[in-house]
Amino acid sequence: MKTIDSLGDLRGKRVLVRSDFNVPLDGTTITDDGRIRAALPTLSRLADAGARVVVTAHLGRPKGSPDPQYSLAPVAARLGELLGQDVALAEDVTGDSARSVVDGLADGQVALLENVRFDARETSKADAEREELARELAELADAFVSDGFGVVHRKQASVYDVAALLPAAAGDLVLKEVESLSRATTDPERPYAVVLGGSKVSDKLGVIENLLTKADRLLIGGGMVFTFLAAQGHSVGSSLLEADQVEAVKGYLAQAEQNGVEIVLPTDIVAADSFAADAPHRTVPADAIPDGTMGLDIGPESGALFAGKLADAKTIAWNGPMGVFEFDAFAAGTRAVAQGIVDATAAGAFSIVGGGDSAAAVRALGFDEAGFSHISTGGGASLELLEGKELPGLAVLED
Ligand SMILES: Nc1ncnc2c1ncn2[C@@H]1O[C@H](COP(=O)(O)OP(=O)(O)O)[C@@H](O)[C@H]1O
Ligand SMILES: O=C(OP(=O)(O)O)[C@H](O)COP(=O)(O)O
């Protein structure tokens, strides 16, 4: 991939950087700033080189128009603290405010454009719409650096289309991620175990088909579980369920058996009366989730089962918390899996934890990051790399 060095002397040049600042928020408080910290090497390097740095990023999944709860204002403030300079936030993506903020930049200064997903063209399926936004973004800059690893699997205007319009390069985070993950993509040491959880179920069920040709064991937890339990004919109460994926999951289960891949499902579930930190809850067998309750964590028996399935693994990839770890009552499954991975890593396994929330969970639960071989800022992106897909946001940066 092209590197920042290939862009030549950047003093006085406007450099558009795509970062992934999709951080967890509690109101306007950032609860984990890992993704902002991960962006600092590239941003500092560009600023130190005298570039005028214009950062574009998304936060959450707003519906294609401005929505204050998804404003990047908290990110601009935190980024400013970490960089040791004020970071101006444009009020729009490519409008008057963006142009005036960019025009006001001095060499070495960093500014942030408002949430790029406030513009519906960013995520449009229509090439012409995305390209139009990409042209507007490109007008704000002389070069483009792609450094939002967590979003390089998205064919979106600020990730994919803009790279064709400006001299473009991969940032240091993207290079580091691809290099670290390559150890699991090229000839992983076996047994190779993949742990999947989280809440982006429809996005991530799709990776399973390819993983069934790569991994030896698939451990399923988090919001993923219920589509599997439904595929086995069990009722899942009001748990997260992708009803239209149940047939596909039946196919995965059959394929796994054919390929000799072990799919490990939880045997017990912590079922709650509602989605709340203090919701009444109890541990139930996974095949007997009572109507009117929702599974918010894997149970203790499953935590031990999963840790056991990780103990002898030599390569481990984990994306997606095992439960709603943000609430103490539903964090035990995620803790058990994290501990299992730390123990396996100490015994010689190569381990990758990927995803904004998974990485945040590891830190929030007090684990030392050094206990894992690589903590990736991308969940979906790292999974798609591991399944062997070509990622649009990386393909456009190829030399
Ligand atoms: N059983 C569950 N029901 C609902 N949400 C869940 C469940 N298990 C995990 N989650 C949620 O999944 C979210 C993270 O999912 P995801 O975005 O897919 O992970 P990552 O950001 O690590 O890629 C967390 O906020 C967590 O609360
Ligand atoms: O949080 C992200 O991905 P992840 O949850 O898979 O780690 C990225 O910012 C991508 O966000 P998106 O899945 O809304 O495109």
Side-chain angles (χ1 to χ4, degrees), residues 120-339:
R121 295 172 296 176
E122 167 70 355
T123 56
S124 172
K125 294 274 172 282
D127 293 352
E129 287 181 5
R130 288 197 321 274
E131 285 161 14
E132 188 184 60
L133 174 59
R135 272 196 298 280
E136 291 175 19
L137 285 166
E139 275 166 21
L140 297 172
D142 305 299
F144 175 65
V145 171
S146 176
D147 208 34
F149 177 73
V151 82
V152 290
H153 59 317
R154 302 291 184 214
K155 193 174 180 182
Q156 297 179 349
S158 69
V159 179
Y160 174 79
D161 302 274
V162 73
L165 303 177
L166 290 169
D172 294 340
L173 175 63
V174 162
L175 291 173
K176 185 179 94 176
E177 292 268 19
V178 171
E179 192 189 312
S180 299
L181 290 162
S182 68
R183 193 162 151 192
T185 51
T186 43
D187 203 14
E189 210 182 325
R190 295 181 183 279
Y192 175 15
V194 176
V195 191
L196 286 180
S199 58
K200 291 182 179 172
V201 183
S202 57
D203 277 15
K204 291 174 186 173
L205 276 173
V207 306
I208 290 178
E209 191 167 6
N210 283 328
L211 287 176
L212 289 175
T213 64
K214 307 223 181 291
D216 303 302
R217 279 173 213 159
L218 268 182
L219 283 59
I220 310 285
M224 286 271 169
V225 162
F226 308 102
T227 310
F228 279 80
L229 293 176
Q232 290 182 328
H234 307 305
S235 75
V236 297
S238 46
S239 308
L240 209 58
L241 171 69
E242 292 292 331
D244 56 353
Q245 300 278 324
V246 169
E247 284 309 309
V249 168
K250 284 183 189 167
Y252 301 152
L253 289 168
Q255 190 65 44
E257 206 166 307
Q258 243 177 40
N259 295 10
V261 175
E262 188 183 5
I263 294 202
V264 185
L265 294 173
T267 51
D268 56 350
I269 293 287
V270 183
D273 292 350
S274 63
F275 189 91
D278 57 357
H281 55 274
R282 77 284 311 155
T283 300
V284 300
D287 58 4
I289 299 174
D291 283 352
T293 69
M294 59 177 75
L296 294 186
D297 196 10
I298 60 170
E301 191 182 278
S302 309
L305 170 72
F306 282 22
K309 295 286 180 189
L310 294 168
D312 67 335
K314 289 285 170 283
T315 306
I316 300 172
W318 172 31
N319 170 247
M322 294 295 99
V324 183
F325 74 92
E326 294 92 338
F327 301 153
D328 286 345
F330 309 108
T334 303
R335 190 177 282 114
V337 161
Q339 187 63 54

Side-chain angles (χ1 to χ4, degrees), residues 20 22 35 58 61 117 150 154 200 203-204 355-356 378-380:
D20 183 353
N22 191 18
R35 278 182 164 156
H58 76 281
R61 293 177 170 177
R117 290 187 184 170
R154 302 291 184 214
K200 291 182 179 172
D203 277 15
K204 291 174 186 173

